Amino acid sequence: MSRVFNFSAGPAALPDEVLARAKDDLLDWAGSGMSVMEVSHRSKAFIAVAEQAEADLRELLVIPGHYKVLFLQGGATLQFSSVALNLATQDSVVDYAVTGSWSKKAIAEARRYATVNAALNMPESDAPWGPIPPVADWALSDGAAYLHYCANETIAGIEFPFVPKNGAVPIVSDMSSTLLSRPVDIEKFGVIYAGAQKNIGPAGLTIVIVREDLLGSARAGTPTLLDYDVMAKSGSMSNTPPTFAWYMAGLVFAWIKDSGGLEAMAQRNSLKAGKLYAAIDNSAFYSNPVHPECRSWMNVPFTLADNSLDAKFLSEAEMRGLCNLKGHRSVGGMRASIYNAMPEAGIDALVEFMAEFEKVHG
Ligand SMILES: *Cc1c(COP(=O)(O)O)cnc(C)c1O
């Protein structure tokens, strides 16, 4: 059995080199006679792994010293609550850009903790979708505690082509499915968070990057483990962190560094996405409803001209080792998630299969 091209949206494919290294380490990690999963998170050896992972992530993203990096649990979904608990009071107004399913879930959760304002409301059902209007045209509130947006809507394949700005209001971004796909100007943000299982590592780990001046104002009643300040002061070790996922993310960071860093990732990802969108646009059989300006590099949804062929498309793709192309249950059709770990060869194989399928059925 050889490895397939896995287009899963998440948990998603990991680089072969990372999995091979983890396999080598599994029974006897660093000559310890144990796996990394079996040692204390407070041991010298694990602390070294944790610190190296953070150092590599800081180097990759060029994270300035006045930002803390947290390695947490609970997924991006728990951050929907954490952000409001740490940055807003019950009397605050908080601005949200709603551009699809995940930002809709984020604003719904924030509604439990503050007064929410949908400063931009573009549900993914608006097709054709986009472009995203400039922030000057949004319905921003006065004195908002923060402005939240989802940098990449994983389900509909919508990626922000710019970073919103509203004076000094902290910008908060859910980057679950785009972090590490290209360079980011960290200083434009108050908080960035991302669940790991898309482009960072296995499920179970959530990365939070938070500007220092936003620490220490979690509202009364905030659960201890959701308080950014507590987690920052304890090095994300107020309780047992997800040690294996942290170690795996560290291997992924090292792999990205060895592959040329985020500039190289951006080049590769732009090329990969460009090839796939070109194949879709140059056919009368496949289509994608998102405006070219805000098409995702990471998640490429597409539909067939005749959806009664969907099942056939999926099964024939799978026979060729092109797996997990079924679109999200809420939108149907297909979706190719092409994170960092998807090689260009996977895109070429998919594009070739799509052309052949169209020839027979188009
Ligand atoms: C997957 C995803 C989430 C949810 O992540 P969990 O780790 O399951 O909580 C939230 N936002 C975006 C953009 C995602 O892609």
Side-chain angles (χ1 to χ4, degrees):
M1 179 77 198
S2 60
R3 298 268 293 162
V4 299
F5 291 120
N6 175 8
F7 293 92
S8 172
L14 286 162
D16 288 358
E17 295 88 337
V18 165
L19 293 171
R21 169 68 194 274
K23 182 184 174 195
D24 280 349
D25 282 355
L26 198 61
L27 292 178
D28 180 11
W29 163 62
S32 66
M34 297 173 274
S35 81
V36 70
M37 279 179 280
E38 301 170 295
V39 303
S40 166
H41 56 293
R42 310 215 182 267
S43 65
K44 235 189 196 163
F46 185 78
I47 298 277
V49 166
E51 287 178 352
Q52 188 62 50
E54 179 176 339
D56 286 345
L57 182 64
R58 283 184 172 276
E59 186 183 328
L60 285 169
L61 283 166
V62 197
I63 300 175
H66 61 293
Y67 284 76
K68 295 289 186 194
V69 179
L70 311 179
F71 291 77
L72 307 180
Q73 303 190 54
T77 305
L78 192 56
Q79 291 307 310
F80 297 166
S81 315
S82 291
V83 161
L85 290 167
N86 280 275
L87 269 57
T89 68
Q90 205 141 21
D91 305 320
S92 300
V93 178
V94 293
D95 281 341
Y96 278 71
V98 177
T99 52
S101 304
W102 288 115
S103 42
K104 236 190 260 170
K105 287 195 170 152
I107 194 175
E109 192 65 15
R111 193 167 277 126
R112 298 157 60 92
Y113 304 108
T115 301
V116 299
N117 169 48
L120 175 72
N121 197 3
M122 296 176 72
E124 70 268 79
S125 52
D126 288 358
W129 200 97
I132 299 173
V135 180
D137 296 344
W138 297 11
L140 295 164
S141 349
D142 284 334
Y146 60 82
L147 168 59
H148 179 285
Y149 78 106
C150 178
N152 185 71
E153 286 284 358
T154 318
I155 292 172
I158 293 160
E159 188 154 10
F160 257 80
F162 60 87
V163 177
K165 183 170 168 53
N166 178 21
V169 173
I171 303 298
V172 177
S173 186
D174 176 358
M175 293 202 183
S176 295
S177 48
T178 184
L179 194 66
L180 298 180
S181 67
R182 58 172 97 198
V184 182
D185 185 352
I186 301 291
E187 298 221 56
K188 289 184 172 164
F189 296 88
V191 179
I192 291 170
Y193 62 89
Q197 70 273 20
K198 314 294 168 58
N199 205 28
I200 296 172
L205 171 70
T206 312
I207 302 285
V208 175
I209 302 167
V210 52
R211 210 174 61 211
E212 253 169 16
D213 64 284
L214 298 172
L215 298 172
S217 22
R219 71 177 68 180
T222 300
T224 307
L225 292 184
L226 301 193
D227 185 330
Y228 291 153
D229 196 40
V230 170
M231 293 313 264
K233 287 196 169 116
S234 64
S236 306
M237 293 197 190
S238 290
N239 71 331
T240 314
T243 52
F244 189 70
W246 194 331
Y247 152 86
M248 288 292 289
L251 296 185
V252 171
F253 301 154
W255 174 81
I256 296 174
K257 276 177 61 179
D258 289 346
S259 312
L262 294 192
E263 294 288 353
M265 285 298 131
Q267 260 177 27
R268 275 180 42 163
N269 289 327
S270 159
L271 184 87
K272 280 156 48 188
K275 275 189 178 181
L276 186 47
Y277 285 116
I280 293 166
D281 291 344
N282 294 334
S283 106
F285 187 68
Y286 303 105
S287 65
N288 166 285
V290 181
H291 191 280
E293 217 177 86
C294 35
R295 279 176 166 175
S296 170
W297 282 4
M298 297 281 99
N299 312 96
V300 182
F302 60 93
T303 50
L304 314 190
D306 175 1
N307 67 11
S308 70
L309 291 168
D310 284 5
K312 196 172 182 56
F313 181 94
L314 289 166
S315 70
E316 288 184 15
E318 190 154 334
M319 281 189 298
R320 294 188 181 212
L322 303 167
C323 297
N324 295 320
L325 282 162
K326 192 173 166 57
H328 190 270
R329 59 188 186 278
S330 64
V331 292
M334 310 300 153
R335 173 176 49 172
S337 293
I338 52 174
Y339 301 115
N340 287 343
M342 173 60 63
E344 196 183 339
I347 307 296
D348 293 340
L350 174 60
V351 165
E352 192 187 315
F353 165 67
M354 287 168 69
E356 282 176 31
F357 191 88
E358 178 176 0
K359 225 185 210 162
V360 176
H361 301 284

